[in-house]
């Protein structure tokens, strides 16, 4: 993959402006585009948590997971099962579900990650095993229908309850939207903050040359495992919030199709930029809905072409490729003058 | 006693398919370090070839001859159009071949529809093996697969092409310095791998539902074959297939299919922890 890294270089001034504009738009969206479009944007933001998680793993350490939807699904199904099947009071159950969903996903990541990473599985092998993880998790969700609802999914997941003046109550749609936007922004900012210093450089070293990083005294396997579990926690948080927000879960939130879609979001948005994949996720989901409204079968075909485009035309993401082209044009113009 | 024989025969059916699919994958991975996620779709293409040829009135055996040719041709085009530009970028290859896989699956579904294609088994009789009645088609299929694997083994061990192949697997730069045309060997090896997958598709088709997405299950399993067995050698593929196919068939008798597939994954992951370079070291 490209060896361009912007994680440890100061961001250009323009990008601060872009980030501020994006955040301003995200927060004001319910007032501009209306509640229905805002709810689509809200769901897209929840899905973009998988992209954030994957970018923490793939963008920062170069390890590609082909099964990250598994963790989103584990978070969502964990939350759904705990909050609906245990007979808990919904005010408590929704929060307990959120916590259990994230914990289950982290546990899966910890066990799978321990055996793989400490077993020396790296690079393409790691990608393949995570791909199998996605296939298997889909089988488990469909086959274990007494618990997961099988093909039908699970309905009636309670929303999150917050303390208000009149006791515990779910949030109104607009406030819920702001809550979710804040969770996504905070997660992105904390990941960016965590990776911007020395820690980010250590991860970069592991990506570039793991043996050398070991020689410098870093326990690289432990670092990779931490990142893997952390990145699944981010995806699972998105999943658990999705379950309580939408109120139902179905099998399309686990498995290969969603897992690989996330890779497209990260690849198009620019691997390692964190904000890029989130923006790309939102745009691609919007584009997907457009295309699927013409013919549902067209979307996977488009996705196939997007993959090949991403590899050959935008190896470093659309934004960086465009900036590169503009810079070259600028230089050429300067040359003429 | 009869049950044991039936179980072993069932296991052999799965193992022989996994060997064929896994061998192509292992050659491509061991040789070029390329993970071809569209490999499963060449199995699908083989199965669809059978459906088309039988639909036109051709026989099963004709399809068994034509499908590998089509598989090899499409494999050759894939290598020339996509893979050869990406040898230095392993993760990019994974993504590009996944894109190709989606394109093949979706195009097949758009052209032929989502309903399973009609295919007919060439043999409908059953034969008596050690006191157990077993479909003769499955027996023929296992025998054919073993014959193909032995042939592949002989090609890799005894021919000039096989020697070149093994040289490249050991040290590509040295092979090139010795005057081996690595680019040529790569594209031939890739086409051979996809041809093997297409043969597996024809053999498999009468036993399963022929749909555009059928390849994906075999893709994941045959990757386990390669990971468990160790990439780049025929004995590794055989060992891996025995492990994955044997475990899954056995578990299927004890626990539900879903759980057995999950357990095979768990076993494979544990095995990777214990023997990172695979069952058979090259």
């Amino acid at each position: 993959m490209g060896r361009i890294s912007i994680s440890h270089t100061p961001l250009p001034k323009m990008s601060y402006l872009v980030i501020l504009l994006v955040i301003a738009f995200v927060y004001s969206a319910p007032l501009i585009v209306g509640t229905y479009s805002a709810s689509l944007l809200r769901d897209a933001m929840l899905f973009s948590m998988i992209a954030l998680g994957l970018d923490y793993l793939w963008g920062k350490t170069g390890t590609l997971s082909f099964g990250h939807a598994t963790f989103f699904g584990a978070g969502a199904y964990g939350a759904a099962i705990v909050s609906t099947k245990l007979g808990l009071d919904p005010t408590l159950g929704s929060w307990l579900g959120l916590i259990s969903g994230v914990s289950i996903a982290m546990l899966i990541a910890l066990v799978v990650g321990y055996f793989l990473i400490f077993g020396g599985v790296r690079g393409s092998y790691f990608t393949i095993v995570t791909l199998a993880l996605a296939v298997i998790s889909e089988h488990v969700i469909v086959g274990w229908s007494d618990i997961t609802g099988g093909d039908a999914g699970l309905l009636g997941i309670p929303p999150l309850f917050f303390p208000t003046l009149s006791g515990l109550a779910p949030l109104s749609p607009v406030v819920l939207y702001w809550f979710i936007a804040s969770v996504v922004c905070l997660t992105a900012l904390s990941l960016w903050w965590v990776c911007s210093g020395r820690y980010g450089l250590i991860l970069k070293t592991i990506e570039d040359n793991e043996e050398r990083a070991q020689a410098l005294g870093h326990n690289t396997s432990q670092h990779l495992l931490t990142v893997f579990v952390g990145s699944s926690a981010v995806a699972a948080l998105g999943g658990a919030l999705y379950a309580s927000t939408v109120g139902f879960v179905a099998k399309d939130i686990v498995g290969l199709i969603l897992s690989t879609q996330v890779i497209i979001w990260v690849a198009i948005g620019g691997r390692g930029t964190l904000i890029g994949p989130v923006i790309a996720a939102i745009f691609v989901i919007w584009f997907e809905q457009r295309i699927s409204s013409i013919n549902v079968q067209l979307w996977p075909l488009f996705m196939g072409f997007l993959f090949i485009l991403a590899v050959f035309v935008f190896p470093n993401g659309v934004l960086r490729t465009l900036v590169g082209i503009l810079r070259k044009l600028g230089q050429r113009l300067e040359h003429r003058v | 006693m009869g049950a044991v024989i039936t179980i072993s025969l069932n296991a052999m059916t799965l193992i022989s398919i996994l060997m064929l699919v896994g061998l192509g994958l292992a050659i491509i991975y061991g040789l070029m370090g390329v993970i071809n996620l569209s490999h499963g779709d060449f199995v699908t293409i083989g199965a669809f070839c059978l459906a088309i040829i039988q639909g036109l009135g051709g026989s099963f055996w004709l399809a068994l001859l034509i499908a590998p040719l089509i598989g090899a041709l499409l494999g050759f085009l894939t290598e020339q159009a996509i893979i050869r530009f990406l040898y230095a970028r392993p993760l990019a290859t994974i993504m590009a071949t996944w894109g190709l896989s989606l394109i093949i699956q979706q195009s097949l579904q758009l052209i032929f529809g989502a309903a399973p294609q009609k295919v007919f088994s060439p043999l409908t009789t059953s034969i008596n093996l050690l006191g157990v009645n077993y479909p003769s088609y499955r027996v023929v299929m296992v025998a054919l697969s073993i014959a193909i694997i032995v042939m592949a083994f002989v090609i890799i061990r005894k021919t000039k092409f096989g020697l070149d192949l093994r040289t490249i697997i050991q040290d590509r730069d040295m092979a090139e310095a010795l005057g081996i045309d690595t680019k040529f060997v790569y594209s031939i090896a890739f086409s051979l791998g996809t041809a093997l997958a297409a043969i597996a598709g024809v053999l498999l088709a009468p036993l399963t539902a022929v749909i555009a997405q059928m390849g994906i299950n075999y893709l994941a399993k045959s990757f386990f074959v390669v990971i468990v067995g160790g990439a780049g050698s025929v004995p590794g593929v055989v060992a891996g297939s025995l492990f994955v196919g044997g475990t899954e068939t056995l578990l299927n008798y004890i626990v539900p299919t879903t759980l057995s597939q999950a357990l095979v994954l768990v076993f494979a992951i544990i095995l990777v922890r214990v023997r990172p370079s695979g069952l058979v070291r090259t």
Side-chain angles (χ1 to χ4, degrees):
Chain A
M1 297 303 293
R3 283 273 168 257
I4 299 168
S5 161
I6 63 159
S7 57
H8 54 277
T9 47
L11 291 170
K13 273 184 190 151
M14 271 293 282
S15 45
Y16 284 110
L17 192 68
V18 171
I19 291 171
L20 271 181
L21 278 176
V22 168
I23 292 178
F25 171 74
V26 162
Y27 276 93
S28 53
L31 310 171
I32 303 169
V33 297
T35 339
Y36 175 69
S37 302
S39 75
L40 295 180
L41 188 58
R42 178 197 70 198
D43 295 350
M45 279 195 291
L46 287 171
F47 280 112
S48 78
M49 292 282 277
I50 325 174
L52 260 184
L54 183 67
D55 198 28
Y56 177 36
L57 178 70
W58 184 26
K60 300 301 176 188
T61 71
T63 307
L64 174 58
S65 161
F66 243 72
H68 243 53
T70 308
F71 303 114
F72 184 85
Y77 270 94
I81 291 165
V82 168
S83 59
T84 59
K85 299 256 167 175
L86 299 183
L88 294 164
D89 179 14
T91 50
L92 177 76
S94 56
W95 286 102
L96 207 63
L98 183 85
I99 295 166
S100 347
V102 175
S103 314
I104 292 168
M106 286 172 79
L107 191 69
I108 298 174
L110 185 69
V111 173
V112 174
Y114 168 75
F115 278 103
L116 293 180
I117 292 167
F118 281 87
V121 176
R122 293 290 186 277
S124 332
Y125 262 33
F126 188 89
T127 309
I128 293 309
V129 180
T130 49
L131 182 147
L133 188 68
V135 175
I136 305 274
S137 61
E138 214 170 334
H139 282 304
V140 170
I141 293 295
V142 176
W144 203 10
S145 53
D146 353 334
I147 307 279
T148 62
D151 283 314
L154 289 171
L155 297 166
I157 303 159
L160 292 174
F161 282 75
F162 289 83
T164 58
L165 290 176
S166 49
L168 289 172
L171 297 174
S172 75
V174 175
V175 181
L176 180 66
Y177 172 93
W178 281 329
F179 171 71
I180 285 166
S182 309
V183 171
V184 176
C185 288
L186 273 179
T187 314
L189 279 175
S190 0
L191 281 178
W192 173 77
W193 182 73
V194 162
C195 293
S196 63
R198 195 180 130 78
Y199 178 65
L201 287 178
I202 295 174
L203 297 185
K204 184 78 196 145
T205 318
I206 295 176
E207 177 183 0
D208 285 345
N209 191 331
E210 197 182 332
E211 279 176 16
R212 211 165 284 176
Q214 276 167 353
L216 291 170
H218 298 296
N219 189 340
T220 54
S221 296
Q222 205 170 328
H223 272 301
L224 286 173
L225 185 61
T226 313
V227 173
F228 186 58
V229 174
S231 83
S232 358
V234 172
L237 179 63
L241 284 171
Y242 176 84
S244 67
T245 304
V246 181
F248 66 89
V249 288
K251 62 166 184 171
D252 56 344
I253 59 164
V254 286
L256 261 186
I257 291 295
L258 182 58
S259 286
T260 51
Q261 210 148 331
V262 179
I263 296 172
I264 275 297
W265 301 338
V266 178
I268 288 182
R271 193 170 71 91
T273 59
L274 294 175
I275 185 77
V278 175
I279 299 173
I282 292 166
F283 270 104
V284 173
I285 290 173
W286 172 79
F287 186 57
E288 176 191 354
Q289 280 161 352
R290 277 295 150 95
I291 299 229
S292 298
S293 65
I294 305 170
N295 182 345
V296 189
Q297 294 195 2
L298 280 180
W299 174 243
L301 198 62
F302 258 89
M303 216 164 82
F305 284 111
L306 274 181
F307 264 105
I308 292 176
L309 264 183
V311 164
F312 284 104
V313 187
F314 318 115
N316 297 309
V318 171
L319 214 67
R320 267 185 240 163
T321 307
L322 283 181
V323 169
I325 293 172
L326 285 179
R327 204 168 281 163
K328 255 186 203 159
L329 277 178
Q331 277 168 356
R332 200 169 291 171
L333 281 179
E334 254 172 43
H335 231 67
R336 282 205 191 140
V337 175
Chain B
M1 189 60 206
V4 174
I5 295 170
T6 316
I7 294 177
S8 344
L9 285 171
N10 282 348
M12 277 310 294
T13 315
L14 180 59
I15 290 167
S16 57
I17 291 293
L18 287 180
M19 280 196 302
L20 289 180
V21 185
L23 183 63
L25 213 54
I27 294 176
I28 294 168
Y29 182 75
L31 181 68
M32 321 188 218
V34 162
I35 288 205
N36 177 15
L37 288 189
S38 61
H39 198 72
D41 301 290
F42 286 92
V43 177
T44 316
I45 287 172
F48 271 74
C49 280
L50 176 66
I52 294 167
I53 289 170
Q54 285 188 333
L56 295 173
S59 78
F60 178 88
W61 310 109
L62 181 68
L64 199 56
L65 286 177
I66 292 179
L69 294 179
I70 292 178
L73 179 69
L74 291 176
F76 179 77
L77 291 177
T78 306
E79 204 270 343
Q80 287 295 305
I82 296 175
I83 313 275
R84 72 184 166 120
F85 302 107
L86 302 174
Y87 284 127
R89 297 165 60 197
L91 288 185
T93 325
I94 295 183
M95 289 168 59
T97 51
W98 178 253
L100 179 69
S101 162
L102 288 173
I103 293 171
I104 295 176
Q105 278 176 31
Q106 223 51 37
S107 314
L108 283 175
Q109 192 167 342
L110 282 171
I111 298 168
F112 295 97
Q117 302 298 307
K118 274 191 192 132
V119 290
F120 311 98
S121 167
L123 302 162
T124 46
T125 54
S126 58
I127 54 169
N128 197 306
L129 268 182
L130 303 168
V132 174
N133 269 327
Y134 205 70
S136 41
Y137 173 70
R138 289 188 178 220
V139 178
V140 170
M141 190 190 94
V142 171
L144 269 175
S145 311
I146 293 175
I148 293 168
I149 293 289
V150 170
M151 216 160 72
F153 186 72
V154 171
I155 290 177
I156 290 174
R157 282 284 147 191
K158 299 288 175 202
T159 63
K160 166 84 171 51
F161 175 75
L163 187 64
D164 289 356
L165 208 73
R166 282 181 291 138
T167 315
I168 299 175
I169 289 178
Q170 273 192 2
D171 190 332
R172 190 192 159 181
D173 293 334
M174 186 53 80
E176 225 156 50
L178 291 171
I180 296 172
D181 187 347
T182 52
K183 280 180 190 153
F184 174 74
V185 175
Y186 273 18
S187 54
I188 296 300
F190 195 87
S191 320
L192 273 181
T194 52
L196 281 171
I199 293 181
V202 176
L203 290 174
L204 177 68
L207 303 177
T208 182
V210 179
I211 54 169
Q213 286 80 18
M214 66 182 278
I216 193 77
N217 272 321
Y218 292 91
L219 178 76
K221 273 178 213 158
S222 47
F223 267 116
F224 275 131
V225 166
V226 177
I227 291 174
V228 166
S233 79
V234 178
V237 170
V238 175
S241 311
L242 284 170
F243 175 81
V244 175
T247 323
E248 192 180 322
T249 316
L250 263 183
L251 283 173
N252 266 337
Y253 283 90
I254 309 166
V255 294
T257 318
T258 311
L259 192 58
S260 76
Q261 281 175 340
L263 282 175
V264 171
L265 171 83
V266 172
F267 288 155
I269 289 176
I270 294 173
L271 204 69
V272 164
R273 178 76 183 86
V274 184
R275 284 188 78 106
S277 56
L279 287 171
V280 178
R281 298 219 170 114
T282 42

